[in-house]
Amino acid sequence: MGRFVDSFRQMEFDESLLKPGMTEAEKTEVRLANTPLQKSLKKRHLQMIAIGGSIGTGLFVGSGSALRTGGAASLPIAWVVVGTFLFAVIHALGELAVAYPVPGAFSAYATKFIDPSWGFAIGWNYVFLWLVVLPLEIIAAALTINFWDDTINSVAWVIIFYVLIMGINLFGVKGYGEAEFLFSLIKVVAICGFLILGIVLVCGGGPSGGFVGGEYYRDPGPFTNGFKGFCTVLVVASYALGGSELIGVTAAESENPRKTLPSAIKQVFWRLMLFYLGGLTLVSLLVQATDPRLLGSSSVDASASPFVIAIKNGGVKGLPSVMNVVILISVLSVGNSAVYGCSRTLTSLAAQGLAPSIFGYIDRMGRPIFGIILNGITGLLCFIVANRKIQSEVFTWLLAISGLCILFTWLTISICHIRFRLAMKAQGRSLKSLAFTSHAGFWGSVYAVVMMSLVLIAQFWTSVWPLHGKPNARVFFENYIGAPIFISFYIARKLWVRKFNEFTPLADIDLDGGRKDLDMDLLQQELAEEKAELQTKPLWFRFYKFWC
């Protein structure tokens, strides 16, 4: 008991690292680079954490509403389009995270490469996103149980799942990493199984028999609501892949970011696209867009999962229950990631002076305990499940507050990468000094910025003129209120500090502050040795290592 109580005592920051004459910006860099978070995440943890944060209700449940809105062809096409710029975003994040493995990742990069007020706005929007996601996912998990038994009060399941998620995160980052590894492994196995089953069902090998093929592409057609329907699906696809950026947040707690992050970054993208694109293509072939069971699709209604409907259509008994178990685990996994992502982002904001200093408190087990406590407090919103009348209304507006956060986060990562590359060029730095460089490069990030801007325009269009409806202020603010809130955070911070020009010129950006590999000679030697060793391997292995 004594050791347990002692574990909550603060791990003191080594003040000797702050040298006399340092500017506040330099002190912030030192604090970020030397937070006493535990560095115990291995490569397998990193890969599964990013997958776990992305594969959840967006894939298993939200894709149902996307299928109903856009039609069969919209699903795979929209995810391919989003995947092209997500590739650039993930690689840009990898380049920055390997060079600067700091907690909070993109909020810290925004402060460094763009503007402290931008870092404040994106950081707090990201925090609010996960604060809302936690109770929402707990409610979704409780309602998933109704698939088997709807006689038990959902509040009972809410209590169980709430205690489980908060308990996992109190075991520290090692406990979180192991739990997420297990959760994600189950999801990966289930999706691989569904891919095999889906191919069999499409070919007519299921109990119901009959070749399905592209029947649902002909009736009701590939695009049920034209171009506007496709734009709506494009927005859904962007949100569904949200959470993949968590790989950058884990950099500060990985054992060796230079060696573990590059491979994790590359493999995460391909695995996500395989699971999403493969699974949704099969769903579009097996489930009709006009299926009435899709009408209940929402983020907290697992009964409308197109994956479950596809298995039922195939006449496979027992497997719908198995898939529902996977949905339940996925929901809990995303809730688990919510506590992790939120608490670490708060730690970063506190270190930068953009959040109350109490959130910078890290105990002797490496837990940002007050960030976890804040998550626990807001997580109590999950008990709204006891009142079904106001539940939907409350979460609709809570999600609307940070509804555009994922796109703004990806946009921020790409802008930071562009500024980083331009600063490298302005200061005469070689890309050879980087342990990992983005395969998409500078122009990949430019492409990502352009594409995400178009997605934001598409969402504005579908928010002002919604499908099958006239312009409606309520619908607009439900879908787009995140934009004015983000801008309000940015302007409010400017007015508070009364510093209206904090934009750092490229030549003045401190490219060494927060870097881990400052011994360039040693880094170059290690990279040369690794490259020489790779050259001894077969061509297929070198090709695999380049992409994965």
Side-chain angles (χ1 to χ4, degrees), residues 355-367:
S357 59
I358 193 171
F359 291 116
Y361 184 105
I362 299 172
D363 65 22
R364 296 184 180 183
M365 279 190 65
R367 297 171 298 202

Side-chain angles (χ1 to χ4, degrees), residues 13 18-19 22-32 351:
F13 174 76
L18 301 177
K19 306 299 182 184
M22 278 187 170
T23 64
E24 282 302 315
E26 290 171 334
K27 290 179 180 179
T28 296
E29 296 278 10
V30 172
R31 291 192 187 97
L32 281 170

Side-chain angles (χ1 to χ4, degrees), residues 148-197:
W148 299 285
D149 186 356
D150 60 358
T151 60
I152 300 176
N153 193 320
S154 296
V155 174
W157 295 113
V158 160
I159 294 172
I160 293 171
F161 297 141
Y162 176 84
V163 172
L164 175 64
I165 290 175
M166 297 309 299
I168 288 172
N169 281 273
L170 287 176
F171 276 100
V173 69
K174 192 70 178 291
Y176 164 75
E178 293 297 344
E180 201 55 42
F181 179 80
L182 179 61
F183 287 158
S184 297
L185 187 61
I186 293 172
K187 287 188 282 188
V188 168
V189 171
I191 293 176
C192 289
F194 178 81
L195 292 176
I196 297 171
L197 174 65

Side-chain angles (χ1 to χ4, degrees), residues 228 465-471:
K228 183 178 285 189
W465 294 278
L467 276 172
H468 310 305
K470 297 179 180 179

Side-chain angles (χ1 to χ4, degrees), residues 217-228:
Y217 276 69
R218 294 187 293 274
D219 179 23
F223 301 99
T224 53
N225 285 296
F227 183 66
K228 183 178 285 189

Side-chain angles (χ1 to χ4, degrees), residues 54-77:
S54 302
I55 298 179
T57 51
L59 172 62
F60 290 120
V61 183
S63 56
S65 64
L67 174 61
R68 176 168 50 88
T69 301
S74 290
L75 280 185
I77 294 174

Side-chain angles (χ1 to χ4, degrees), residues 382-403:
C382 61
F383 289 99
I384 290 176
V385 75
N387 190 331
R388 297 287 182 87
K389 292 182 179 179
I390 66 169
Q391 171 192 307
S392 178
E393 186 80 8
V394 169
F395 279 105
T396 294
W397 288 107
L398 285 175
L399 280 173
I401 292 173
S402 46

